């Protein structure tokens, strides 16, 4: 079996009898092996494994400190940092029961489901209990607020840090989520992550550089709701619009259609264009023209007029630092402004926004074809031709 190397196994018994075991120093990705042998007769017997300690992080996660951490206000544990993973062991029924004691202000999720049954111990802690499969894929606990709401049949749990309560209210994030999910599902296809009738949207640690999606779960790192992100005007004219941008990435980006990162192509341009379309529907054509199309044109115009872009031979002569700054500013304008303008132009060329939506829907439907190399500019030209 494999267990997080931070834990020490103190005792193993099988049907009350001691079982000799051997732990080997072979740590891979936060797991360490222990070997033992059980008698042939495996039915209706109980194996007890006692262990304790503090989980350590696998080398893979060590830089970002996102997984297998226990802080006083946030806990994030992966499989083997909760229970041992037993090789050669199969079970077909959900038979496990978990009891976990935590400070009483933390809200726990077991396998992406909010735990609901608890006993208040009256000493600042609560003991949470749940029946689950014996395989724990994730245990997370934090200072969470959870809003429940639904869109038609789909029930949504939106979990965000208590520190973000005001931001969520002020920017009407809940209503925005409803509008985005409705718009994108209708235009591009159902959110892959919401195939069942339940969707958990959960804010994660700021250490996660993005988010991830699983069946019924979409997560964003903490910064998606942070004031700095919500005031980034490249992504939209208001905080609500930037949030729209971040949520549309569920369709355009690694969680949906994975895009190649080229000079003039990335998931950013598609996301900005989709944000514009949604905003146009929500706030009207004038608004969308002023804060999106005109703003893109201005940025592209000044990029075109910039001295170093007109005279690249001088760019070569600049010290590397300035060279890099100009190049990265060009990339950002290419992705956030020039590419959406280009897609808008394609919208005209293919015969209007309905036709463009058909193309976008096709791209999203075909997402599995682009898992390896990413969907690039050439792919777009082929599909839009
Ligand atoms: Zn983006």
């Amino acid at each position: 079996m494999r267990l997080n190397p931070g834990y020490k196994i103190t005792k193993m018994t099988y049907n009350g009898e001691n079982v000799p075991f051997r732990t080997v120093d072979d740590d891979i990705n936060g797991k360490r092996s222990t070997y033992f042998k059980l008698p042939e007769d495996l039915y209706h017997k109980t194996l007890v494994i006692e262990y304790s300690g503090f989980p350590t992080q696998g080398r893979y996660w060590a830089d970002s400190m996102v997984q297998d951490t226990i802080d006083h206000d946030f806990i994030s544990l992966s499989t083997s940092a909760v229970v041992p993973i037993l090789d050669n062991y199969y079970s077909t029924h959900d038979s496990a029961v978990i009891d976990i004691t935590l400070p009483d202000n933390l809200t726990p999720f077991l396998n992406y489901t909010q735990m609901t049954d608890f006993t208040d111990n009256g000493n600042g802690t609560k003991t949470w209990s749940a029946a689950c499969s014996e395989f724990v894929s994730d245990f997370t606990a934090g200072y969470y607020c959870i809003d429940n709401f639904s869109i038609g049949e789909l029930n949504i749990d939106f979990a965000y840090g208590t520190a973000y309560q005001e931001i969520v209210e002020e920017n009407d994030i809940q209503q925005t989520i409803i509008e985005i999910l409705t718009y994108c599902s209708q235009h591009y296809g159902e959110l892959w992550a919401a195939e069942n009738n339940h969707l958990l949207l959960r804010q994660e640690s700021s250490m996660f550089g993005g988010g991830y999606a699983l069946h019924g779960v979409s997560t964003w790192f903490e910064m998606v709701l942070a004031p700095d992100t919500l005031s980034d005007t490249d992504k939209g004219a208001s905080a609500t619009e930037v949030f729209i941008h971040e949520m549309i990435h569920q369709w355009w980006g690694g969680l949906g259609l994975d895009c190649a990162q080229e000079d003039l192509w990335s998931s950013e341009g598609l996301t900005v264009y989709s944000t514009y379309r949604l905003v146009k529907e929500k706030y009207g054509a004038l608004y969308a023209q002023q804060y999106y199309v005109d703003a893109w044109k201005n940025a592209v115009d000044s990029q075109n007029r910039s001295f170093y872009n007109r005279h690249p031979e001088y760019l070569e002569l600049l010290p590397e630092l300035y060279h890099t700054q100009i190049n990265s500013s060009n990339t950002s304008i290419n992705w956030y402004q020039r590419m959406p303008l280009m897609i808008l132009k394609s919208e005209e060329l293919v015969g209007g926004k309905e036709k463009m939506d058909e193309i976008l829907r096709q791209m999203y439907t075909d997402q599995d074809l682009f898992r390896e190399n990413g969907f690039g500019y050439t792919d777009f030209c082929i599909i839009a031709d």
Side-chain angles (χ1 to χ4, degrees):
M1 72 182 187
R2 282 161 296 146
L3 186 63
N4 186 285
Y7 299 138
K8 190 172 164 33
I9 302 168
T10 45
K11 195 178 181 185
M12 281 175 71
T13 61
Y14 185 67
N15 225 28
E17 304 272 322
N18 268 326
V19 175
F21 60 87
R22 180 170 59 93
T23 298
V24 181
D25 190 3
D26 63 349
D27 305 6
I28 297 173
N29 290 335
K31 297 183 184 73
R32 180 178 286 179
S33 308
T34 293
Y35 294 90
F36 56 95
K37 207 163 190 165
L38 295 181
E40 295 289 304
D41 151 37
L42 278 169
Y43 298 96
H44 310 297
K45 301 288 197 301
T46 306
L47 171 69
V48 179
I49 305 160
E50 290 176 23
Y51 56 93
S52 61
F54 194 86
T56 59
Q57 294 193 311
R59 199 167 289 170
Y60 182 72
W61 294 109
D63 286 350
S64 47
M65 299 173 60
V66 288
Q67 213 158 35
D68 298 338
T69 57
I70 300 182
D71 292 324
H72 69 279
D73 53 5
F74 190 69
I75 300 172
S76 166
L77 299 174
S78 63
T79 50
S80 58
V82 185
V83 288
I85 300 173
L86 290 156
D87 291 348
N88 306 318
Y89 169 79
Y90 302 96
S91 171
T92 50
H93 49 87
D94 289 354
S95 54
V97 175
I98 194 159
D99 291 316
I100 191 151
T101 302
L102 299 170
D104 61 6
N105 46 8
L106 294 180
T107 303
F109 293 84
L110 178 65
N111 293 344
Y112 302 99
T113 303
Q114 189 189 343
M115 293 180 85
T116 47
D117 294 339
F118 66 88
T119 315
D120 197 328
N121 301 318
N123 59 358
T125 67
K126 281 177 184 165
T127 298
W128 300 81
S129 307
C132 68
S133 67
E134 68 272 14
F135 183 77
V136 172
S137 55
D138 174 83
F139 177 81
T140 297
Y143 295 146
Y144 279 113
C145 293
I146 298 157
D147 293 346
N148 315 98
F149 49 96
S150 50
I151 308 173
E153 303 270 282
L154 180 68
N155 296 307
I156 294 169
D157 288 336
F158 174 39
Y160 51 91
T162 46
Y164 290 83
Q165 218 165 347
E166 243 174 67
I167 290 174
V168 167
E169 269 168 40
E170 272 172 16
N171 296 293
D172 209 359
I173 296 292
Q174 183 174 318
Q175 185 54 33
T176 309
I177 290 172
I178 294 174
E179 285 169 14
I180 301 161
L181 287 173
T182 309
Y183 179 92
C184 292
S185 306
Q186 281 170 356
H187 287 74
Y188 313 134
E190 290 299 323
L191 181 62
W192 178 79
E195 273 179 20
N196 54 16
N197 278 334
H198 184 257
L199 178 63
L200 169 68
L201 300 172
R202 192 175 72 192
Q203 191 181 25
E204 304 283 310
S205 156
S206 61
M207 298 298 194
F208 270 109
Y212 58 92
L214 307 162
H215 280 273
V217 186
S218 276
T219 66
W220 308 285
F221 69 140
E222 187 175 347
M223 296 307 285
V224 169
L225 287 172
D228 273 0
T229 311
L230 295 179
S231 58
D232 183 348
T233 51
D234 269 356
K235 297 176 176 177
S238 75
T240 312
E241 290 159 57
V242 176
F243 184 75
I244 295 175
H245 173 103
E246 300 300 350
M247 259 206 82
I248 290 179
H249 269 308
Q250 302 283 323
W251 278 265
W252 310 131
L255 309 177
L257 176 71
D258 211 348
C259 290
Q261 292 202 340
E262 299 163 6
D263 276 352
L264 196 52
W265 187 268
S266 82
S267 61
E268 295 307 338
L270 279 172
T271 304
V272 172
Y273 170 79
S274 293
T275 306
Y276 150 79
R277 288 284 309 280
L278 200 159
V279 162
K280 192 175 173 185
E281 229 178 78
K282 198 170 138 123
Y283 304 125
L286 269 178
Y287 183 94
Q289 181 69 33
Q290 180 182 351
Y291 291 105
Y292 290 77
V293 183
D294 291 349
W296 301 337
K297 283 182 180 160
N298 284 339
V300 168
D301 205 44
S302 63
Q303 187 195 33
N304 290 344
R305 278 189 284 110
S306 122
F307 175 80
Y308 289 107
N309 286 327
R310 284 185 291 115
H311 301 283
E313 65 276 20
Y314 289 101
L315 184 63
E316 298 304 322
L317 300 176
L318 283 180
E320 204 181 334
L321 173 66
Y322 299 107
H323 196 156
T324 311
Q325 278 174 357
I326 291 173
N327 280 341
S328 75
S329 140
N330 278 342
T331 302
S332 154
I333 288 172
N334 283 347
W335 286 356
Y336 288 91
Q337 280 99 9
R338 198 180 284 271
M339 187 180 154
L341 262 186
M342 194 177 86
I343 299 174
L344 189 63
K345 184 75 189 163
S346 321
E347 178 193 304
E348 224 177 88
L349 293 172
V350 297
K353 57 184 200 304
E354 280 80 19
K355 187 70 197 147
M356 192 64 199
D357 285 345
E358 246 174 68
I359 291 167
L360 293 172
R361 173 179 275 274
Q362 190 60 49
M363 284 159 55
Y364 183 71
T365 309
D366 289 346
Q367 56 177 274
D368 281 346
L369 304 177
F370 303 96
R371 283 277 159 249
E372 214 158 295
N373 298 317
F375 184 96
Y377 176 66
T378 323
D379 301 306
F380 179 71
C381 294
I382 293 169
I383 203 167
D385 191 13

